[in-house]
Amino acid sequence: QVQLVESGGGLVQTGGSLRLSCAASGLTFRTYAMGWFRQAPGKEREIVAGVSWYNGITDYADSVKGRFTISRDNAKNTVYLQMNSLEPEDTAVYYCAASQALATMKIGGVDFWGKGTLVTVSS
């Protein structure tokens, strides 16, 4: 049974930082592209960042470029999202995702989802 378990969400002030973690089990982690999506109240889920499985290529939504960094540790079956310079617009539930390929993930092709962790940025 595949499980993606997010942690690290919480309440932070504008300009602050958080680091999200996603621990994966039940899948061959190193062969999956991993990513983070978010869904704000009343809005559709959107991809925030992704990292490929074979060469570590990363990709980011324009809204987070330069502020967020995605990374993965294949030895720990964990993917991270370092979020800096947080803004109230970043408030959302953040979901970890696993996909066969980064290109597939970017168009919504996700094989597995985590249950999400809430990030709230106060102004």
Side-chain angles (χ1 to χ4, degrees):
Q1 181 182 0
V2 175
Q3 284 191 311
L4 303 178
V5 180
E6 302 97 336
S7 61
L11 175 64
V12 64
Q13 291 185 336
T14 296
S17 299
L18 283 175
R19 188 195 195 202
L20 305 183
S21 299
C22 171
S25 60
L27 76 169
T28 307
F29 181 80
R30 66 182 183 277
T31 67
Y32 278 84
M34 299 299 297
W36 291 92
F37 287 69
R38 68 186 180 186
Q39 187 167 19
K43 295 188 177 181
E44 293 187 353
R45 192 174 297 190
E46 62 176 356
I47 188 168
V48 174
V51 56
S52 69
W53 64 267
Y54 63 95
N55 59 5
I57 287 177
T58 58
D59 198 11
Y60 298 91
D62 287 343
S63 59
V64 306
K65 281 181 181 176
R67 300 189 298 122
F68 291 11
T69 302
I70 188 171
S71 61
R72 64 188 297 159
D73 185 338
N74 288 343
K76 295 183 178 179
N77 286 4
T78 301
V79 61
Y80 304 97
L81 185 68
Q82 178 67 44
M83 305 186 295
N84 299 328
S85 302
L86 283 161
E87 304 166 351
E89 293 74 21
D90 296 316
T91 294
V93 177
Y94 283 71
Y95 297 90
C96 180
S99 180
Q100 299 277 337
L102 183 55
T104 305
M105 180 180 292
K106 290 172 63 176
I107 59 172
V110 172
D111 294 303
F112 305 106
W113 291 100
K115 293 183 177 180
T117 186
L118 177 63
V119 172
T120 303
V121 184
S122 63
S123 57

